[in-house]
Amino acid sequence: MATLLRIVRAAFGIEAITALVTIAAFWGPFTRIARNGHWSMLMLVGLVLLFLGLAFTAGMAWWALRSGRAAAKWWLLAASILNLPLLGLGTLVGVSGLVLFRRYDRIAQITAQQLSAAQSLPGDGTFKYGGAITQTVQLVWMVGATTWFWNWAGKHGLDQSGGWLVYLVQVEGAMLLNTILHESGHVLGGWASGMKVRTFAFGPVRFSKRKGVWRVEFQAAGLWGSGAAGLVATELRDIRRKRIVTMLAGPVASLVTAIAATTVVFMAPGRPWGIGWQFFALLSTFAWASAIVNMIPLQPENEYSDGAQIYQLMSDGPWADVHTAFSMVASSLVTPLRPRQFDTWTLTRAARFLKHGERGLLLQLFLYMHHKDAGRPEQAQRALDEAEKLYPSVAARLHADLHADFVFGNALLRRDARAAAEWWKRLESRGNSRKELDYWKAKAAFHWIEGSMAEARDAWAQASTLVQKLPAVGAYIRDREEVAEIGRLLHESASSNDLTALKEATGQQGARLLRTNPALAES
């Protein structure tokens, strides 16, 4: 539901912008058609009012859903109904909106959790109304820049035909290209700092390296121009400077793109590429916005902007500990650094400071892994307790596979079958598990603690096969040891069951024989 909400909300936002841009950009051609007698002025006024109504309703639905307003339910219903007659994508958005309307109690819960996670925290560089102000400025910029380019193109004789479909394709293409170039900037900055790429996403396509294997996923929510580049440090010396260079490289890439695209547009009259001026104008508009907005400290959708992360890394405070902690843990995926070797004080300071949202929960899980790998079960249990306290505030958006550590910890560390069963139920109810190593490891642990040995052995066999394929790095050495631990427990359980069965089969005489012959019992 969270993904569908994100898609529908983004669709309403884009629809509002597109309707306003259409009125502004096509006002001149519309009035010329009306003056020439092809339309009546009444039809022109009606068409403008229709677009204004669509823009207002869709914009209010986007804003109300994003800000969690009480009236969001009814704006969602109104915008969805207005979209139903718009055949194609409009109808799909309308139907999806009606689905959300029927499950609005769940949607309200998800929105409340997202708003809670997106609150400004001390020292993060953001401010309460920064997102709203920036989004308003972006809207004004998109409408103003698009209108200006259209008027400029008309004065210089550039072709302004093409129709709606061509225009929408150009909008999507310009957004995706801008995203690719921005994220490529992060990648180049990371490579220059000696970092390795683990994730690269643009639009609906996401490449990620998990458990040593590159995978490709398609995510429909990314159609609206989202992107990400995840890079991991191969060594932690001077990590803050490396992260700053990596973050800064994205906006720099967008700035270069903006300058280049604007230059191409201004040189378009009389040139062979003049027919594609509109695409480059859209790319210029998106790139300028990306270059500037990303440098403003913001926290959209629970993710800090490049500017916010740069500010946090440059500040000599607890946020530097948070970034260092995440970099340290990520480094164990590409280096021999094991969880037991993490810096305890950095993790502890970061976790004490950030007791909020998904990052706060992850920091507690990092502490749990660190203490468990170091052989400190009491400290590991306390960290797991703290992670469980934070869980309700992020439950709606936590991926299924992040539940696996809770299952494993409750089964093997606490030996609590009831708690492990509850966490396994939560994992399975998500329905989006990738069913990789963590899943099978958790399943084996769960079935072992509940006494279902056949199922536990089957799950352990899957985990054992997968763990052998992992590269020899710190995080995966821990995985191998935990799979081996489950295997040992299963072997001990099997031996105990065999001994019990032998006693029952031989009766009292066999029991006396076992007591007087320890070697036979051990065999």
Side-chain angles (χ1 to χ4, degrees):
M1 293 302 288
T3 301
L4 185 61
L5 171 62
R6 199 159 52 242
I7 294 172
V8 171
R9 190 173 60 199
F12 287 150
I14 291 176
E15 190 173 65
I17 294 173
T18 303
L20 290 174
V21 168
T22 300
I23 295 171
F26 289 91
W27 178 256
F30 284 166
T31 53
R32 284 196 295 271
I33 292 173
R35 288 196 205 100
N36 293 333
H38 298 291
W39 286 355
S40 68
M41 289 302 295
L42 183 61
M43 290 178 62
L44 176 59
V45 171
L47 186 64
V48 170
L49 289 177
L50 176 63
F51 274 100
L52 282 175
L54 182 62
F56 179 75
T57 306
M60 287 299 296
W62 171 83
W63 176 74
L65 286 170
R66 189 178 181 86
S67 58
R69 301 293 173 179
K73 179 178 182 179
W74 306 111
W75 284 114
L76 169 64
L77 178 62
S80 300
I81 292 174
L82 280 178
N83 269 274
L84 289 176
L86 304 177
L87 299 180
L89 288 176
T91 304
L92 183 60
V93 170
V95 172
S96 301
L98 293 177
V99 171
L100 294 177
F101 178 78
R102 292 191 62 187
R103 297 285 306 278
Y104 193 75
D105 290 343
R106 175 65 172 155
I107 297 306
Q109 180 187 6
I110 293 172
T111 302
Q113 291 185 1
Q114 290 175 343
L115 289 171
S116 175
Q119 291 177 353
S120 295
L121 296 174
D124 67 358
T126 66
F127 57 100
K128 184 175 181 180
Y129 300 107
I133 294 172
T134 304
Q135 288 159 12
T136 302
V137 172
Q138 276 186 286
L139 175 61
V140 173
W141 163 254
M142 295 295 295
V143 174
T146 305
T147 303
W148 188 91
F149 273 123
W150 269 87
N151 292 331
W152 180 88
K155 293 176 182 178
H156 289 79
L158 293 173
D159 183 21
Q160 294 179 301
S161 62
W164 270 101
L165 182 59
V166 173
Y167 180 72
L168 290 176
V169 170
Q170 288 180 329
V171 169
E172 182 65 26
M175 280 197 299
L176 289 179
L177 181 56
N178 176 60
T179 301
I180 291 171
L181 294 173
H182 179 91
E183 302 304 334
S184 296
H186 287 309
V187 170
L188 292 175
W191 283 346
S193 302
M195 304 178 82
K196 289 186 176 181
V197 181
R198 300 280 301 181
T199 304
F200 189 83
F202 57 92
V205 183
R206 181 181 183 87
F207 298 91
S208 59
K209 190 174 186 179
R210 296 192 304 273
K211 305 299 182 182
V213 178
W214 278 101
R215 293 173 172 84
V216 183
E217 298 173 293
F218 181 87
Q219 300 175 334
L223 285 168
W224 315 119
S226 62
L231 292 106
V232 179
T234 54
E235 57 97 14
L236 297 176
R237 185 172 56 87
D238 205 14
I239 184 61
R240 288 165 65 181
R241 182 192 62 79
K242 294 175 181 177
R243 289 290 305 275
I244 290 171
V245 170
T246 303
M247 289 296 103
L248 186 60
V252 169
S254 291
L255 180 62
V256 172
T257 301
I259 294 171
T262 305
T263 302
V264 170
V265 174
F266 287 157
M267 294 177 64
R271 305 290 178 131
W273 65 83
I275 192 172
W277 74 268
Q278 188 168 295
F279 173 81
F280 290 104
L282 288 167
L283 178 60
S284 170
T285 302
F286 290 132
W288 281 113
S290 181
I292 296 171
V293 171
N294 271 284
M295 287 303 296
I296 301 173
L298 300 169
Q299 191 186 13
E301 298 289 348
N302 195 35
E303 292 293 335
Y304 283 109
S305 64
D306 297 332
Q309 293 186 62
I310 291 171
Y311 173 86
Q312 292 162 11
L313 286 162
M314 293 180 68
S315 64
D316 188 17
W319 277 106
D321 288 330
V322 172
H323 286 285
T324 302
F326 275 90
S327 296
M328 179 169 55
V329 174
S331 181
S332 68
L333 298 170
V334 295
T335 70
L337 183 71
R338 288 192 55 161
R340 68 177 62 167
Q341 297 169 311
F342 294 162
D343 184 75
T344 305
W345 289 112
T346 298
L347 278 177
T348 302
R349 286 195 305 267
R352 285 176 180 172
F353 165 71
L354 196 58
K355 297 182 178 181
H356 177 88
E358 190 172 341
R359 292 184 191 86
L361 182 143
L362 288 174
L363 285 168
Q364 294 295 342
L365 286 180
F366 296 159
L367 272 173
Y368 152 74
M369 292 187 293
H370 167 65
H371 290 305
K372 184 177 183 300
D373 194 42
R376 295 188 287 266
E378 291 183 3
Q379 292 93 323
Q381 287 193 46
R382 283 199 294 270
L384 194 61
D385 289 340
E386 292 299 319
E388 289 181 345
K389 290 177 184 176
L390 291 172
Y391 175 79
S393 66
V394 299
R397 61 181 183 278
L398 202 65
H399 193 278
D401 292 332
L402 283 176
H403 294 68
D405 279 317
F406 292 103
V407 178
F408 192 89
N410 279 286
L412 266 68
L413 183 63
R414 289 177 175 160
R415 304 297 170 96
D416 188 336
R418 183 176 178 180
E422 284 295 319
W423 281 105
W424 180 252
K425 183 179 178 181
R426 290 169 183 156
L427 188 158
E428 289 284 75
S429 68
R430 297 291 164 177
N432 62 344
S433 173
R434 302 182 183 98
K435 294 192 175 181
E436 297 174 341
L437 174 62
D438 292 336
Y439 172 87
W440 294 109
K441 194 169 65 173
K443 186 173 186 178
F446 161 62
H447 285 307
W448 171 80
I449 194 66
E450 72 163 0
S452 302
M453 295 305 161
E455 291 88 344
R457 282 192 291 271
D458 289 343
W460 177 82
Q462 292 277 4
S464 183
T465 299
L466 292 172
V467 82
Q468 299 306 317
K469 300 176 182 179
L470 298 179
V473 296
Y476 301 146
I477 293 173
R478 164 183 165 268
D479 281 326
R480 288 191 176 91
E481 291 181 357
E482 289 186 339
V483 171
E485 181 184 2
I486 300 173
R488 178 179 56 79
L489 292 170
L490 287 171
H491 177 73
E492 291 175 355
S493 298
S495 300
S496 176
N497 291 337
D498 291 343
L499 184 58
T500 300
L502 179 61
K503 288 179 180 179
E504 291 176 352
T506 57
Q508 293 183 351
Q509 182 177 1
R512 283 196 297 272
L513 178 63
L514 290 171
R515 283 197 299 270
T516 56
N517 194 336
L520 180 61
E522 290 178 2
S523 66

